[in-house]
Amino acid sequence: MRALLIFPSASLTFMAGSIGELTALMRAVESSRDKTVQWRYLELVGGPDVIARSRRLLSSVGCEPLLTAGSLEDLYGTPVSTIRKRLERVLRFRPDVVVLSSFRAFVQFPKFPGLIPHLFQLLSRRQIPTLILDPCGDSFLYPSMTEHDVLLPAPFTYRYEPLPHQKTFSSIVSREQEAPPAPDGEWLWLAAPWMGHFLRFQIAERIALSLLAQLAAPVSSLGALGDPRIWCPQCTVMKDNVSFRRLDQIIARKAAVVTANARSVLAARAASWGVPVVVVDPTRLPSKRLAQAHGVSLEDLERARGERIPKFPVPVEAVTLEPGRRAALDALRRVQRNEASSVALRKERRGAYDNYPDFAQVLAEYV
């Protein structure tokens, strides 16, 4: 089976640091080990500012961009005829199936509206089955978009029953992997660059890190919006150049993962290992007193109240915290106590995902 994976961009300029599509790429690379799938990879738009681990991953599979641009102005100046010719050239690979990643960029909020209609038209004319990978569950929030089948990695399930056009597969890379490893005792704070555009996420991060500082447990962070050591002095900052494979191994050993992003792909990876996930609800703002105690001005608090942020469905797998409540610290301590002897618990959580087909098996249904 020949499969073409197309993701929008690894560039911070064009995708604000979203790694959902790159996580999908990693999963596709891993699933092709059994040689049942011959993969070809395409980045729709290449940009100048790519995180080191993303660049290494793209290079390792020979992925090249369809177009390269330094800004949106450069991109929109590309003639449509050039786009068509380059897409036609890529499809000489004659894929049996095309996977677009991710749903958010291609369907929900198209980042490149000048490119995407031509891509869909060309694939339709060639009668190539086109599937859309939804690593964050956005298609549950926009169920009317049913023109193409959607691939959902489990977890996150968001308490919704799958729709007919949604196909769920296991996000476990290999069923032959050993049972989840024993936790290393360290908690992990996860954030993504796009969250920095919202004051609500910045406030949630400050309070979450302050709560973690009170656990008397080791803490590390990846992608924090500010210096996490200001609010959590014992926090270790992970480098962005950690490879995806190594990152997966690190996450599998964490005592728990905490994030304000309910659609975090890396949090979903943690959940697939049985690691507990805690979501700090950014829609719940703290009181004025608590906000000021964390260096948040009253002006910023009022601005945050007026922000509109993406819909916030709570994953089934997550514990939800309201950052402005005293009970938030108690909830974290309950997670900490439950994880004291957690290997059996993690194995039980992970077992739920063994019942889903893997990525390659789902693709085979369309060929």
Side-chain angles (χ1 to χ4, degrees):
M1 174 171 56
R2 294 185 299 274
L4 174 66
L5 182 79
I6 305 176
F7 61 95
S9 178
S11 168
L12 293 171
T13 294
F14 298 119
M15 289 299 295
S18 173
I19 64 162
E21 59 276 5
L22 289 172
T23 305
L25 176 57
M26 182 192 75
R27 189 177 292 114
V29 171
E30 294 291 340
S31 70
S32 65
R33 283 182 170 182
D34 59 5
K35 307 302 181 184
T36 61
V37 183
Q38 181 185 353
W39 284 100
R40 181 75 57 87
Y41 306 97
L42 176 68
E43 181 183 11
L44 200 60
V45 180
D49 49 355
V50 179
I51 294 172
R53 68 170 173 267
S54 303
R55 177 57 60 205
R56 285 205 305 271
L57 180 58
L58 298 180
S59 299
S60 70
V61 295
C63 180
E64 295 183 357
L66 180 75
L67 301 169
T68 301
S71 65
L72 283 173
E73 289 74 16
D74 292 343
L75 176 62
Y76 293 152
T78 304
V80 173
S81 58
T82 301
I83 296 170
R84 284 203 193 98
K85 286 178 183 177
R86 293 187 182 181
L87 286 172
E88 290 279 6
R89 196 178 307 138
V90 170
L91 292 178
R92 290 175 187 171
F93 171 59
R94 297 177 64 191
D96 298 303
V97 62
V98 169
V99 179
L100 303 180
S101 169
S102 61
F103 180 89
R104 190 181 305 171
F106 283 99
V107 176
Q108 183 184 355
F109 303 117
K111 296 287 183 179
F112 313 117
L115 298 178
I116 292 171
H118 299 294
L119 177 62
F120 276 114
Q121 289 169 12
L122 188 56
L123 294 172
S124 176
R125 193 162 65 243
R126 293 288 189 93
Q127 296 185 323
I128 301 172
T130 304
L131 313 174
I132 302 174
L133 193 84
D134 179 13
C136 303
D138 291 296
S139 57
F140 282 116
L141 306 179
Y142 293 83
S144 61
M145 299 178 179
T146 59
E147 293 85 355
H148 300 276
D149 280 359
V150 172
L151 304 179
L152 293 164
F156 285 170
T157 50
Y158 296 122
R159 297 181 174 86
Y160 299 128
E161 288 295 323
L163 298 168
H165 71 295
Q166 294 173 321
K167 311 294 180 182
T168 304
F169 65 95
S170 174
S171 64
I172 297 173
V173 171
S174 170
R175 298 178 191 278
E176 288 71 41
Q177 287 175 327
E178 296 178 359
D184 60 11
E186 186 173 77
W187 290 58
L188 176 64
W189 168 258
L190 281 177
W194 67 266
M195 295 163 60
H197 297 295
F198 297 91
L199 278 170
R200 285 180 176 268
F201 285 109
Q202 296 175 42
I203 293 169
E205 175 172 280
R206 288 186 180 191
I207 296 176
L209 288 167
S210 296
L211 292 171
L212 290 173
Q214 298 177 59
L215 281 183
V219 178
S220 60
S221 69
L222 180 66
L225 308 179
D227 185 348
R229 292 164 294 192
I230 296 174
W231 312 106
C232 185
Q234 77 265 38
C235 185
T236 301
V237 180
M238 290 177 56
K239 295 181 178 179
D240 279 333
N241 61 359
V242 178
S243 70
F244 281 101
R245 187 188 296 268
R246 176 62 183 147
L247 195 55
D248 204 45
Q249 295 168 349
I250 290 171
I251 286 174
R253 296 186 62 87
K254 292 304 164 194
V257 166
V258 186
T259 183
N261 177 15
R263 294 178 289 183
S264 167
V265 177
L266 289 180
R269 292 295 300 144
S272 74
W273 278 105
V275 177
V277 174
V278 179
V279 174
V280 181
D281 188 348
T283 69
R284 303 287 186 175
L285 288 170
S287 65
K288 292 180 180 180
R289 180 188 58 78
L290 185 57
Q292 288 180 305
H294 289 85
V296 179
S297 69
L298 295 181
E299 181 184 356
D300 281 349
L301 186 62
E302 285 305 310
R303 286 173 54 207
R305 293 188 194 283
E307 282 182 337
R308 295 181 63 188
I309 63 174
K311 291 182 182 179
F312 195 82
V314 178
V316 171
E317 297 82 2
V319 173
T320 307
L321 297 188
E322 294 187 24
R325 301 278 182 157
R326 291 183 179 180
L329 182 58
D330 292 336
L332 289 179
R333 285 177 173 154
R334 281 196 297 273
V335 173
Q336 192 176 37
R337 287 195 298 271
N338 291 341
E339 290 303 301
S341 55
S342 63
V343 173
L345 227 123
R346 290 179 179 222
K347 189 173 182 180
E348 181 183 343
R349 290 190 197 111
R350 179 175 171 173
Y353 309 121
D354 284 332
N355 297 323
Y356 292 106
D358 63 27
F359 195 29
Q361 288 172 328
V362 172
L363 292 184
E365 296 177 13
Y366 295 87
V367 177

